[in-house]
Amino acid sequence: MEFRLLGTVCVDTQTGPLPLGPAKRRSLLAALLLRANTPVSVARLSDCLWDDTPPLHARTVVQGHVSRLRALLTGADAEMYGVELATLGDAYMLRVPEALLDSQRFEELLMLAREQRSPSDSVLILKEALSLWEGPALTGTYPSAPLQAAAHALEESRLTTVEQLAHAYAVLGEHHRAAAVLRAEAVAHPLRESLAAALMTALHRSGRQSEAVDCFHRTRRLLADELGIGPGRELADAYAQILRGDPEPAPDLPGRTTVGDGAGAGTPAGTGAGTPGGAPGLHAHPTDLLPRAPRGFQGRAAELAALSRAAAGEAPVCLLTGPAGVGKTALALHWARRAPAAFPDGRLFADLRGFGDTGEPTPLEVLREFLLALGVAPRRVPESAQAAAALFRSLTDRRSLLVVLDNARDSAQVRPLLPGGTDCVTLVTSRHRLDGLIASDAARPVPLDVLEPPDGTALLAGVLGEERVLAEPVAARRLAELCGGLPLALRVTAARLAGRPHRTLAGTADELADERSRLTYLDVEDTGVSAALRLTVQQLPPDTVHHFARLGHHPGSHFDPYTAAALAGSDPVVATAALERLAAAHLVSETGPGRWVLHDLVRLYARGLDPASGPDALVGVLDHCIATALAAADTAEPGGEPCFVLPEDYRRPTAVRDFTDRAEAMNWLATEREDLSLAAAAARGAGLDDRAWRIILLQWPYVWRVRDGWVPMLELALDAAVARSDPYAESRVRNLLGWVLSEEGRTAEAEAMLEPSPCLARRAGDRLGEATALINLAIVQAEQGGLDEALEGCGQAVALAGKERDAHTEMLALQHLARMQLAAGRPQDALDSARTAFDLGPEHEEAARRVLLLTVSGEAHLALGTQREGIRLLDLAAAEAERDGYDEGAVRSLEALLRVTSGTEYVRRYEQAVRRLTDGGP
């Protein structure tokens, strides 16, 4: 199985390509593959499928495409290849091994080509990389802005690869081959100056000066006509070289890809810019202040490639950021040591100790070390930081240097240490985002996250030896997961095991599994996760530390400012400011707008800062869940009757999120489903049963919409209600759980679950709950063949709802009563019940309920022989269902129509509704 983005988007299997269907489904696959192994929200997918505002039924269409794509992958045995299309709350993730994705293989080959010392080997690998392309990237997808941007980025990478291949040919002296690969691309991209300059140079070195000059003038005219600009420096330099008739220069050293002369302007190769104190220009042995890189480096192919791309610009500042212990320094040193020839004038390194206990070096101390390394005599080093910085910039102006600035605290600490040359690369590592450096110096951020389990396991093997890890592969992977993919935690674990050769990996994993002692185990001497985090936290303001400590007690997997405020006892504005500071320090990560997460080990550290506040924080966040879920339920189903009795000691949050419409409320319930389940489980575990059942039951609008996987949580809610000896709660939970069981086809279990519910509601004085219980029980009884019992129960429900003057519940009971009367062969009674429901008033009519009442009325007229009126009502029901995107109702009404008429228009509409319902197609 292979997934292709470099050409027509497709999935190749042993039996041929999968029939992906319409362009929108192909676009959805492309959007998932572009972020393979990463959750992609429905909103992001909608942006990829529509240009403007997505239609109201966009979510349904996306779900349908996902369902069809999942079925195609299942039918192709995708699981055998490690491929899975998973649903994660309000997002989807396509898990796919990188080896199966052509764009990933393309990137890997580019990385491999850069590491080759032999130009001929580079040529072979680059040609193999380009052979993966079968046409323009993302062909066959909908031309939405996000997909077009992704296609442009992929095409840019391909063109850069073509230029690298041409350069490799030039190093081999095969300039005619370089010109051949460049010409086609230069014709296709006539305004890309780097292509034109490279082609001119290749033609010139092939002895085809007239063609090279013609290429320049053609490009110059195009730039003037199309863009109103003149040739850039690169194009002008190539033209000047041709006019001077310069001989072919010596090829670049491996690992340094340039286009043009290969020497600085006005600086003959092999000479320096001249330095005070007799400093040499290009040393026979270049300066190298890099410390030894840690052993056992693993993975990070994507980040290494990103660093290489970031370093390819002019005078780039690359910013490697990430949390404590994630391996920023190791990655920086590994990358810096990969291609020493890329920096012929040397490599400088300084630990700025921005997160240490020993104090930071002054800018002058760092600059003095750099200047001495560059050959400046000690007496010539200026005494002020400003003068030393100016001299450093002057000395590096015409050099090719790498400057690594490790552990920077903020942007101001870095700026005086930046070199001056356009061929210099600065690599900064920091636990903070350093947004100021991005703004002032166009620093290119490369964020660093934790290691995936395979790379974490490989890191363990690098320290412990492969034999020990291969002897316990499952335990090794479990260790990697318990360490959260954090390289520092993995190294500490490996260090403990290395000194205990008789200790098993499984036994160590069992020790780490205990959250109470995990952080203690992950500390050794002066190195460890807690120590690293402490150095980060100690620089934060007290209010931010307070919020951070309370976040450690959150039972869920993610949080927003409202959740953080509920945990800390603050308000969302204050909590947002604290979260921004924590994110800047990489203690929390923002995974989406207003959505944050904590690494597992960071969560344990935060919890340990203030363990006594745990119970108070838990109650705060549980009551926040109840308040927000109540607001969502009221917005999603206005006038509905959720569980509204709050716990006796309920603490209302300082602020509760507002929902503007039903779609926003339902989206929140979908997104928070997993976290609400975790909150309910935490409440049950803490003996807060009065919160547990409410948090689960308040999700009822979403339960009605997405009916899978609710039984375990509703059973937990039932246990909580029974533990409280609360008949009101038990009845309400049984009502919803019984309905879910019946929807899953488990009617016998549903009937047993629902039978006690009316009596429990009666004991609690909950008449509306009793009416709802009677309706749900009647539906199940009718399915089981007990139609008489069902009719009686629905009649009782109508009476109860009428006494309570609750039109919504009364209309619901009448709708089901009418359906059962029709099934019992009493069409006139069914028609009367439907009319009574309509008479309750349009303000109580939900779109779906109106469609169902119109349908049963139409079917009743057909049964009574008034066919024209029956067809009219069914046609009206189908039209309203189609207008409101209620495909299930459209199918039901059109099915009834087709039993009495075979009109081609009805057949067409029925087939379209079925296709929308089953396939999600537009």
Side-chain angles (χ1 to χ4, degrees):
M1 176 172 283
E2 287 187 293
F3 293 84
R4 298 190 181 278
L5 294 176
L6 307 181
T8 300
V9 174
C10 67
V11 183
D12 284 341
T13 68
Q14 291 181 343
T15 58
L18 292 184
L20 294 178
K24 280 194 167 62
R25 188 173 304 136
R26 202 178 295 270
S27 303
L28 181 136
L29 173 61
L32 292 170
L33 288 173
L34 287 166
R35 296 191 174 188
N37 303 306
T38 303
V40 185
S41 68
V42 171
R44 170 73 181 179
L45 294 173
S46 297
D47 289 342
C48 293
L49 269 59
W50 289 277
D51 274 331
D52 301 318
T53 303
L56 292 177
H57 66 289
R59 180 179 297 277
T60 303
V61 173
V62 169
Q63 289 173 340
H65 285 311
V66 168
S67 176
R68 180 58 183 155
L69 184 57
R70 186 181 282 131
L72 287 170
L73 292 172
T74 301
D77 295 326
E79 189 175 352
M80 271 177 41
Y81 298 91
V83 176
E84 178 190 8
L85 179 48
T87 303
L88 301 174
D90 196 40
Y92 298 98
M93 179 169 70
L94 186 56
R95 295 189 177 99
V96 53
E98 293 184 354
L100 301 186
L101 184 55
D102 61 352
S103 59
Q104 291 284 355
R105 295 204 308 277
F106 178 70
E107 287 289 337
E108 289 170 4
L109 287 169
L110 296 191
M111 287 284 300
L112 185 61
R114 294 187 190 104
E115 294 173 353
Q116 301 307 306
R117 301 189 67 83
S118 165
S120 57
D121 290 341
S122 295
V123 165
L124 293 174
I125 295 170
L126 291 170
K127 288 174 68 175
E128 183 181 350
L130 290 169
S131 72
L132 294 172
W133 287 75
E134 298 181 348
L138 307 188
T139 297
T141 60
Y142 183 75
S144 61
L147 292 183
Q148 285 186 315
H152 177 77
L154 288 169
E155 175 66 7
E156 183 69 23
S157 184
R158 186 187 70 84
L159 291 174
T160 301
T161 305
V162 170
E163 292 172 343
Q164 289 174 353
L165 175 60
H167 176 73
Y169 276 134
V171 172
L172 292 170
E174 299 179 5
H175 303 296
H176 62 291
R177 294 185 185 275
V181 299
L182 289 166
R183 185 180 292 279
E185 301 300 340
V187 171
H189 303 273
L191 295 177
R192 186 179 175 92
E193 293 187 59
S194 60
L195 274 175
L199 177 59
M200 289 164 55
T201 301
L203 290 170
H204 167 55
R205 293 174 181 172
S206 301
R208 298 150 68 183
Q209 281 78 6
S210 60
E211 291 180 63
V213 171
D214 180 64
C215 177
F216 171 76
H217 288 299
R218 186 168 57 250
T219 306
R220 179 182 57 77
R221 286 193 298 270
L222 271 173
L223 290 170
D225 295 343
E226 297 290 334
L227 304 178
I229 61 174
R233 177 177 174 180
E234 190 174 0
L235 198 62
D237 285 350
Y239 182 55
Q241 175 188 327
I242 295 168
L243 294 181
R244 290 196 304 267
D246 289 351
E248 179 183 333
D252 288 338
L253 291 168
R256 187 70 169 172
T257 303
T258 58
V259 178
D261 293 354
T267 306
T271 66
T275 62
L282 289 175
H283 304 289
H285 299 286
T287 298
D288 190 350
L289 299 184
L290 290 181
R292 178 181 61 82
R295 291 180 53 200
F297 183 88
Q298 293 293 335
R300 304 300 196 192
E303 290 85 354
L304 287 166
L307 271 181
S308 296
R309 285 193 295 270
E314 183 174 293
V317 178
C318 308
L319 181 56
L320 191 59
T321 64
V326 81
K328 300 179 292 296
T329 302
L331 175 62
L333 293 176
H334 182 78
W335 181 82
R337 288 198 172 279
R338 278 161 45 121
F343 304 103
D345 293 331
R347 299 173 293 190
L348 304 177
F349 177 90
D351 183 357
L352 302 184
R353 302 196 297 274
F355 302 91
D357 287 328
T358 57
E360 302 169 6
T362 65
L364 182 58
E365 288 173 338
V366 177
L367 288 166
R368 178 178 178 81
E369 186 176 351
F370 285 177
L371 292 171
L372 292 174
L374 292 174
V376 177
R379 64 182 183 279
R380 302 267 187 175
V381 175
E383 295 183 2
S384 73
Q386 292 83 353
L391 178 58
F392 179 60
R393 289 192 294 272
S394 174
L395 289 180
T396 55
D397 183 52
R398 294 184 182 276
R399 297 194 181 189
S400 179
L401 277 168
L402 171 65
V403 180
V404 180
L405 302 174
D406 195 29
N407 280 317
R409 172 179 39 80
D410 55 30
S411 302
Q413 192 184 23
V414 170
R415 290 192 186 100
L417 310 178
L418 296 178
T422 58
D423 288 332
C424 292
V425 174
T426 307
L427 175 54
V428 183
T429 77
S430 180
R431 299 182 191 182
H432 289 167
R433 287 194 305 241
L434 302 193
D435 294 335
L437 200 63
I438 297 173
S440 64
D441 293 273
R444 304 175 186 190
V446 178
L448 192 58
D449 207 343
V450 297
L451 291 171
E452 292 297 319
D455 289 332
T457 305
L459 191 152
L460 289 173
V463 179
L464 299 174
E466 288 192 10
E467 290 184 2
R468 194 167 177 187
V469 169
L470 290 175
E472 296 182 82
V474 175
R477 185 179 179 91
R478 187 178 173 218
L479 277 176
E481 292 170 348
L482 287 168
C483 290
L486 199 66
L488 176 58
L490 286 162
R491 290 186 179 278
V492 170
T493 301
R496 285 186 175 275
L497 283 165
R500 299 168 177 83
H502 302 296
R503 185 67 181 263
T504 66
L505 274 62
T508 302
D510 289 339
E511 288 189 5
L512 275 179
D514 187 349
E515 289 190 347
R516 295 169 299 180
S517 58
R518 188 180 305 169
L519 282 178
T520 303
Y521 189 91
L522 293 176
D523 285 331
V524 56
E525 294 187 1
D526 60 344
T527 300
V529 176
S530 295
L533 291 171
R534 176 178 56 80
L535 294 174
T536 303
V537 172
Q538 69 184 15
Q539 297 191 6
L540 297 172
D543 181 66
T544 303
V545 176
H546 169 71
H547 281 79
F548 177 57
R550 289 300 187 96
L551 288 174
H553 298 291
H554 181 40
S557 61
H558 62 270
F559 44 88
D560 59 13
Y562 290 91
T563 309
L567 286 160
S570 65
D571 64 72
V573 175
V574 174
T576 298
L579 289 173
E580 290 291 348
R581 291 191 190 97
L582 292 170
H586 285 96
L587 289 169
V588 301
S589 301
E590 190 172 13
T591 59
R595 185 182 175 94
W596 313 76
V597 296
L598 272 174
H599 186 280
D600 281 348
L601 297 179
V602 178
R603 174 177 54 82
L604 293 177
Y605 180 81
R607 184 186 302 171
L609 290 176
D610 187 8
S613 67
D616 184 68
L618 179 60
V619 171
V621 78
L622 293 177
D623 288 348
H624 153 75
C625 290
I626 291 173
T628 314
L630 269 171
D634 285 344
T635 306
E637 301 291 347
E641 209 255 332
C643 54
F644 54 87
V645 179
L646 297 172
E648 293 179 3
D649 58 344
Y650 172 77
R651 295 188 335 215
R652 182 172 180 80
T654 56
V656 179
R657 177 174 176 170
D658 290 327
F659 297 96
T660 57
D661 53 30
R662 183 176 189 273
E664 185 183 4
M666 293 297 284
N667 181 61
W668 183 86
L669 287 168
T671 303
E672 300 299 318
R673 175 179 175 179
E674 181 181 352
D675 264 26
L676 289 172
S677 298
L678 291 170
R684 182 88 175 94
L688 299 169
D689 293 313
D690 54 342
R691 268 83 172 173
W693 70 263
R694 284 178 170 86
I695 290 172
I696 296 169
L697 207 61
L698 280 168
Q699 299 174 67
W700 63 273
Y702 192 62
V703 178
W704 287 8
R705 176 175 174 178
V706 178
R707 302 170 187 176
D708 63 299
W710 290 103
V711 170
M713 287 312 301
L714 286 166
E715 287 176 340
L716 185 147
L718 184 58
D719 291 341
V722 171
R724 294 280 299 179
S725 299
D726 187 340
Y728 172 87
E730 185 177 348
S731 171
R732 291 290 175 131
V733 174
R734 282 181 177 273
N735 282 351
L736 190 54
L737 178 53
W739 179 81
V740 169
L741 289 169
S742 68
E743 287 294 307
E744 292 185 359
R746 300 159 63 177
T747 50
E749 295 175 66
E751 187 172 15
M753 180 60 62
L754 289 164
E755 277 180 347
S757 192
C759 181
L760 287 165
R762 203 174 306 121
R763 275 174 49 200
D766 180 16
R767 289 188 176 183
L768 288 179
E770 183 181 355
T772 304
L774 287 167
I775 295 169
N776 289 346
L777 181 58
I779 294 170
V780 174
Q781 288 171 334
E783 290 179 4
Q784 294 282 77
L787 196 53
D788 292 339
E789 291 174 286
L791 285 165
E792 182 181 353
C794 267
Q796 292 175 6
V798 171
L800 282 168
K803 288 178 182 178
E804 292 295 310
R805 300 184 182 277
D806 187 279
H808 282 277
T809 306
E810 187 176 359
M811 184 175 281
L812 177 67
L814 285 165
Q815 170 201 320
H816 287 287
L817 179 61
R819 173 60 60 188
M820 292 172 191
Q821 288 168 332
L822 190 63
R826 295 159 51 185
Q828 185 60 54
D829 290 341
L831 192 58
D832 292 343
S833 295
R835 285 172 176 164
T836 303
F838 279 125
D839 289 344
L840 290 172
E843 67 273 14
H844 306 299
E845 294 177 17
E846 299 167 7
R849 187 167 298 163
R850 176 176 170 79
V851 167
L852 294 172
L853 285 168
L854 285 171
T855 301
V856 76
S857 299
E859 291 180 278
H861 274 290
L862 293 179
L864 290 168
T866 50
Q867 188 165 330
R868 179 177 297 178
E869 180 64 8
I871 290 175
R872 185 188 74 80
L873 289 173
L874 289 170
D875 190 23
L876 178 60
E880 291 195 12
E882 290 166 331
R883 182 194 65 202
D884 293 320
Y886 180 34
D887 295 322
E888 190 174 347
V891 168
R892 182 178 294 184
S893 54
L894 288 165
E895 273 181 345
L897 274 170
L898 290 175
R899 286 197 289 269
V900 295
T901 177
S902 57
T904 56
E905 179 66 13
Y906 291 138
V907 172
R908 182 187 65 80
R909 287 166 62 190
Y910 173 75
E911 290 175 347
Q912 287 179 341
V914 170
R915 186 162 55 250
R916 287 194 304 270
L917 186 63
T918 59
D919 195 41

